Amino acid sequence: MDRTGGSGGGSDRRQPEESKPLLAEMSAPEGNKMGAAPCRRALLHCNGMRYKLLQEGDIQVCVIRHPRTFLSKILTSKFLRRWEPHHLTLADNSVASATPTGYMENSISYSAIEDVQLLSWENAPKYCLQLTIPGGTVLLQAANSYLRDQWFHSLQWKKKIYKYKKVLSNPSRWEVVLKEIRTLVDMALTSPLQDDSIHQAPLEIVSKLLSENNNLTTQDHESIIVAIAPLLENNHPPPDLCEFFCKHCRERPRSMVVIEVFTPVVQRILKHNMDFGKCPRLRLFTQEYILSLNELNAGMEVVKKFIHSMHGPTGQCPHPRVLPNLVAVCLAAIYSCYEEFINSRDNSPSLKEIRNGCQQQCDRKPNLPLRLLHTSPDLVSQEATLTESRLKPVIVTSNEIHVEVERNNTANQKMTASVGNDSEPNLIDCLMVSPTCSTMSIELSAQADRILGCYVEILKMLSDYDDWRPALASLLQPIPFPKEALAHEKFTKELKYVIQRFAEDPRQEVHSCLLSVRAGKDGWFQLYSPGGVACDDDGELFASMVHILMGSCYKTKKFLLSLAENKLGPCMLLALRGNQTMVEILCLMLEYNIIDNNDTQLQIISTLESTDVGKRMYEQLCERQRELKELQRKGGPTRLTLPSKSTDADLARLLSSGSFGNLENLSLAFTNVTSACAEHLIKLPSLKQLNLWSTQVSSAARTRSRKRLCETPVTDAGLLALSSMKSLCSLNMNSTKLSADTYEDLKAKLPNLKEVDVRYTEAW
């Protein structure tokens, strides 16, 4: 510590600058008795006063060159003193003037200042400050006592921080360094200066020290962390220190330092941080801290207690920044789980290229874009027409993440280009896959899997707090997750709990966030509806979402139009299984004339009549709209498409609910029907076209669009079952197990058969 000269008589007892009496009689050194009245050091009584750290200011300056033995005599000689006004700046290394002339022609380095004292004059009291430098004295005169004390403490602080920077920049013995750090921390805690930099400056010094010395032991790490802990109670750690804390969390997650020291630091970060974008290492430190809690014996129970401590015991969290900060940490952590694959997007097509089915020529290697299929029956028909050769799947490995892709061929490029457009595709279009096709298979490392599980669980915890749920729903409404996460079955399955909580909340501000942010974008409603990439049930969550949305202000024609355009199949399937909400939806579609196509209207009517609740509601509707009965009297539909994921029981229930004597075209594509449905199909006298693409039919009447059976495991026994369907006029048996004898039998038993495709069979 800096010391100052003391009493007379040759004694040189020294005291710390801030603890010694700063106003006392200065007697002349022995052998130098002055006749003039000596000056006295002013004793500072802070009395709880606080000062802002000065960086610059106006003050009067007087410099006196003298030997120390004549100091008292010179200071009392008023006629020798000449004052100059200067605007001084307290830089990191020195005191400098904005006008470097006169006394302040040269800056004064802090290392050259031997002592800083407060002075008062007996004859003419002035608010003076004395800086002792080699060969002289610099006097600073302020306008009042408060400014004088502010200059005094600011100079003291700058001088000591400069000294500690020099001392700790070249450490020799770590026990000495640790002692100096503790002294530095005590100085910052006891300083009367009130400024953010007072606590930040010591933290930055320690941070630089740690970044330049990587050979410290674990014990040294913990000792330093404990030493600076008092400064962290009211201050964010600087970036380099955050990196040091992250390393400690990763290497020693079970250390008591994590619980005792880091917990209040992370709590303060979550309560007061305004933007992790400006300080990403704070977010990373918080992320590593939570992961270290998860490594404890109790695991997620400890994390749950921490989240509860951040929320507080009341029903309303008193800190509005906690939830956004926690969500930001969760999103960043989940993103990091897929980061390696996301970084490999340079080797994959853009969303627009995925939609167009082609990849522009560039430097991408390898040329293996993700093949994400659509379930639209029209696209299925086009693809089957244009594609003659099989697409061979290729597994591309990105270290620990494996994604199944298929090579694009020329025919597929033409097909998708014809149906695509120049607009950027939405999320669902890029991720939509057919139910029987392989989706993106993402395999995370064990560490990434633990991180994903931890932070998805935190999102589930956040959704359990009623006061947090509206803000959480709003933050998640834009779907802020990478498409790789949305294609990962484990992630969407775990996140389903959060979406279910939104769907169960009666508040409109919550469940309205299930819909997309704006038109043309996809929301959670689309992702978790049947056919969406995140749907892993038979539509239960979809029914819950529709029910809550229809119960609010969304009971409008616009919402029904959206359902009819995009989700009519799932609505009919659930209504076919007796879901009352979907029955109401179908009735409203008929009542508001949402459906223009007569065949679709007739299919809806048949669906309603297949259940007791649907039949009752349809009869009530017919009492209001008699034209529906008239429509039904004209006969059944000529075209019928069974909703995706329908079963044999659903098909039987539908076909038994009404008249289907006029049915000519039946599509069971992408359903779960099996060979058992054949007994119902042969009862359709007018059936001419049957689509069983991607069904579970193995050796029965399996066909694709326009009776296509290509690339299906149909055997002779199954093909012979078609012989009773005399009305079939077109049959595609491409790539089946058709034998020549069976082919001849079919031609003989199907007189109306005009188009036959037997390529890649034994009969070819």
Side-chain angles (χ1 to χ4, degrees):
M1 298 292 293
D2 291 328
R3 311 291 182 177
T4 184
S7 59
S11 174
D12 191 22
R13 299 179 59 86
R14 299 173 181 266
Q15 296 177 327
E17 288 180 349
E18 291 193 357
S19 61
K20 67 186 179 182
L22 297 175
L23 181 60
E25 280 196 11
M26 280 187 62
S27 59
E30 188 174 343
N32 287 280
K33 301 292 183 180
M34 303 294 180
C39 65
R40 298 181 304 169
R41 298 189 181 185
L43 177 62
L44 176 66
H45 298 282
C46 291
N47 295 327
M49 293 290 288
R50 289 290 182 263
Y51 308 91
K52 181 175 176 60
L53 177 65
L54 278 176
Q55 301 294 342
E56 58 181 335
D58 295 322
I59 199 167
Q60 297 287 326
V61 180
C62 178
V63 177
I64 304 173
R65 303 292 177 183
H66 61 86
R68 292 196 181 192
T69 54
F70 297 102
L71 173 60
S72 179
K73 182 176 180 180
I74 295 175
L75 291 180
T76 54
S77 302
K78 296 182 181 180
F79 61 93
L80 293 178
R81 297 197 304 272
R82 179 172 60 87
W83 297 91
E84 294 179 355
H86 283 273
H87 185 84
L88 299 186
T89 300
L90 302 183
D92 292 337
N93 302 322
S94 61
V95 180
S97 174
T99 55
T101 58
Y103 292 144
M104 296 302 298
E105 183 176 1
N106 299 315
S107 61
I108 304 173
S109 173
Y110 294 131
S111 59
I113 300 177
E114 300 175 359
D115 194 10
V116 181
Q117 300 175 1
L118 294 176
L119 300 177
S120 68
W121 303 90
E122 290 185 350
N123 296 335
K126 302 282 185 178
Y127 305 110
C128 289
L129 194 66
Q130 172 186 328
L131 308 183
T132 303
I133 60 175
T137 298
V138 178
L139 300 179
L140 304 179
Q141 183 176 1
N144 53 57
S145 61
Y146 182 86
L147 284 177
R148 177 200 62 189
D149 296 342
Q150 189 177 16
W151 276 97
F152 171 76
H153 291 296
S154 299
L155 281 167
Q156 287 273 38
W157 175 258
K158 291 284 187 178
K159 182 177 182 299
K160 291 180 180 179
I161 285 296
Y162 176 79
K163 185 198 76 169
Y164 280 110
K165 285 182 179 179
K166 299 287 286 184
V167 170
L168 296 177
S169 61
N170 297 306
S172 56
R173 297 166 53 194
W174 281 103
E175 58 272 16
V176 177
V177 169
L178 186 59
K179 183 178 180 181
E180 292 291 345
I181 290 176
R182 289 170 179 155
T183 306
L184 175 62
V185 171
D186 291 340
M187 182 190 75
L189 294 174
T190 58
S191 174
L193 293 173
Q194 192 172 20
D195 193 89
D196 291 340
S197 62
I198 298 304
H199 289 173
Q200 283 294 329
L203 291 176
E204 291 173 358
I205 293 174
V206 175
S207 177
K208 183 179 180 182
L209 172 68
L210 294 173
S211 64
E212 295 175 352
N213 296 272
N214 299 321
N215 57 345
L216 297 178
T217 65
T218 302
Q219 185 60 41
D220 291 333
H221 283 180
E222 296 192 353
S223 298
I224 293 174
I225 292 173
V226 172
I228 63 175
L231 294 179
L232 297 172
E233 293 179 2
N234 298 308
N235 299 274
H236 291 339
D240 290 339
L241 201 56
C242 285
E243 188 68 30
F244 173 71
F245 290 169
C246 290
K247 180 181 178 182
H248 190 79
C249 288
R250 287 190 294 265
E251 295 178 353
R252 289 180 59 88
R254 296 173 179 268
S255 170
M256 289 305 298
V257 168
V258 174
I259 301 296
E260 296 177 356
V261 179
F262 290 168
T263 298
V265 179
V266 173
Q267 287 177 335
R268 187 182 189 280
I269 291 174
L270 292 175
K271 290 177 182 178
H272 301 289
N273 177 67
M274 297 301 295
D275 186 4
F276 275 130
K278 296 180 180 178
C279 41
R281 293 191 185 180
L282 285 179
R283 189 265 309 155
L284 184 60
F285 168 48
T286 306
Q287 176 181 330
E288 293 292 346
Y289 165 79
I290 294 176
L291 289 176
S292 66
L293 294 184
N294 192 35
E295 292 294 327
L296 299 178
N297 292 336
M300 288 308 300
E301 283 300 318
V302 181
V303 177
K304 185 175 182 179
K305 291 180 180 179
F306 174 74
I307 298 298
H308 182 71
S309 70
M310 295 307 306
H311 179 274
T314 62
Q316 189 75 24
C317 179
H319 304 285
R321 290 301 307 167
V322 169
L323 178 66
N325 286 333
L326 279 173
V327 173
V329 172
C330 291
L331 295 181
I334 293 172
Y335 183 93
S336 69
C337 296
Y338 304 92
E339 189 169 12
E340 184 175 2
F341 182 58
I342 294 171
N343 291 337
S344 68
R345 284 181 182 173
D346 290 338
N347 297 333
S348 63
S350 66
L351 297 182
K352 179 179 177 181
E353 292 168 350
I354 293 174
R355 164 66 69 81
N356 293 338
C358 62
Q359 187 176 14
Q360 298 179 0
Q361 296 298 324
C362 61
D363 296 330
R364 291 176 181 154
K365 300 177 182 180
N367 189 16
L368 294 172
L370 293 174
R371 176 163 176 74
L372 303 174
L373 305 179
H374 298 261
T375 59
S376 170
D378 294 333
L379 293 182
V380 169
S381 177
Q382 294 181 48
E383 183 171 14
T385 303
L386 295 173
T387 306
E388 295 182 356
S389 62
R390 295 187 181 183
L391 299 175
K392 297 182 179 180
V394 180
I395 301 295
V396 175
T397 302
S398 176
N399 289 345
E400 296 167 340
I401 301 178
H402 309 284
V403 181
E404 184 173 349
V405 300
E406 294 180 342
R407 294 183 182 274
N408 288 327
N409 57 31
T410 305
N412 183 49
Q413 293 178 8
K414 293 179 180 179
M415 182 275 295
T416 51
S418 66
V419 299
N421 52 53
D422 293 334
S423 63
E424 189 75 7
N426 60 31
L427 186 63
I428 305 302
D429 286 335
C430 293
L431 294 176
M432 189 71 74
V433 295
S434 64
T436 58
C437 293
S438 296
T439 59
M440 297 173 62
S441 177
I442 298 179
E443 298 180 10
L444 301 178
S445 66
Q447 176 64 14
D449 197 61
R450 286 194 298 270
I451 295 174
L452 180 66
C454 174
Y455 282 99
V456 174
E457 195 65 28
I458 290 177
L459 289 177
K460 293 161 70 174
M461 294 177 191
L462 299 180
S463 68
D464 287 334
Y465 290 93
D466 290 340
D467 61 316
W468 275 353
R469 202 174 299 128
L472 178 63
S474 178
L475 291 170
L476 298 185
Q477 185 179 14
I479 311 184
F481 301 104
K483 66 180 183 224
E484 289 78 7
L486 299 175
H488 189 196
E489 183 180 359
K490 178 180 179 180
F491 172 75
T492 54
K493 186 176 181 179
E494 292 295 326
L495 194 67
K496 182 179 178 180
Y497 177 85
V498 179
I499 307 305
Q500 183 70 51
R501 296 292 285 164
F502 294 164
E504 294 171 353
D505 197 301
R507 291 171 292 183
Q508 181 184 338
E509 58 182 328
V510 177
H511 60 248
S512 64
C513 293
L514 294 170
L515 299 174
S516 57
V517 178
R518 58 183 182 274
K521 297 294 181 180
D522 298 307
W524 297 113
F525 180 76
Q526 287 80 9
L527 253 69
Y528 280 92
S529 60
V533 292
C535 183
D536 62 347
D537 55 24
D538 291 330
E540 290 82 0
L541 178 57
F542 172 69
S544 298
M545 292 190 289
V546 172
H547 176 75
I548 194 69
L549 291 171
M550 287 298 294
S552 62
C553 66
Y554 295 99
K555 194 174 182 178
T556 60
K557 190 173 183 179
K558 182 178 180 181
F559 184 61
L560 292 173
L561 282 170
S562 176
L563 288 177
E565 181 179 354
N566 303 305
K567 300 299 174 185
L568 181 58
C571 290
M572 287 194 294
L573 175 60
L574 293 172
L576 194 61
R577 295 175 178 176
N579 185 279
Q580 185 170 350
T581 299
M582 294 308 167
V583 170
E584 294 176 0
I585 292 291
L586 295 184
C587 289
L588 287 173
M589 288 181 180
L590 294 176
E591 184 176 0
Y592 294 160
N593 294 321
I594 300 296
I595 307 299
D596 296 329
N597 185 278
N598 286 346
D599 287 332
T600 306
Q601 288 181 344
L602 289 170
Q603 183 176 349
I604 292 176
I605 294 173
S606 299
T607 301
L608 292 173
E609 291 185 332
S610 65
T611 61
D612 293 337
V613 62
K615 186 180 299 184
R616 184 176 64 255
M617 296 185 69
Y618 175 65
E619 290 175 354
Q620 295 174 357
L621 178 61
C622 288
E623 293 177 0
R624 300 192 300 270
Q625 295 188 354
R626 295 184 178 180
E627 62 271 13
L628 292 176
K629 279 291 185 183
E630 295 295 329
L631 176 65
Q632 197 172 9
R633 291 195 187 98
K634 297 178 181 178
T638 59
R639 298 174 62 90
L640 181 65
T641 300
L642 197 67
S644 174
K645 294 187 178 183
S646 297
T647 63
D648 291 332
D650 297 325
L651 177 62
R653 190 181 303 113
L654 180 63
L655 294 180
S656 63
S657 64
S659 175
F660 290 93
N662 297 334
L663 187 62
E664 298 179 355
N665 187 310
L666 175 61
S667 175
L668 304 179
F670 306 116
T671 64
N672 295 329
V673 297
T674 65
S675 302
C677 71
E679 61 179 286
H680 303 290
L681 300 181
I682 60 177
K683 297 177 182 178
L684 300 174
S686 303
L687 186 63
K688 296 180 180 180
Q689 295 182 340
L690 181 62
N691 184 347
L692 286 171
W693 190 353
S694 295
T695 65
Q696 303 300 315
V697 179
S698 58
S699 57
R702 174 168 247 180
T703 57
R704 286 193 178 182
S705 179
R706 297 179 62 200
K707 295 72 58 198
R708 286 188 177 84
L709 291 163
C710 64
E711 300 183 28
T712 61
V714 176
T715 62
D716 284 345
L719 292 170
L720 286 174
L722 301 176
S723 59
S724 62
M725 303 177 71
K726 306 298 183 181
S727 62
L728 286 179
C729 59
S730 178
L731 191 60
N732 187 336
M733 295 176 287
N734 188 316
S735 301
T736 64
K737 296 180 180 180
L738 174 70
S739 66
D741 293 340
T742 302
Y743 175 50
E744 295 299 328
D745 290 342
L746 283 175
K747 287 196 300 181
K749 295 178 179 180
L750 297 175
N752 294 324
L753 194 62
K754 294 182 176 56
E755 297 180 10
V756 183
D757 186 351
V758 294
R759 287 175 297 173
Y760 306 109
T761 67
E762 293 181 9
W764 187 27

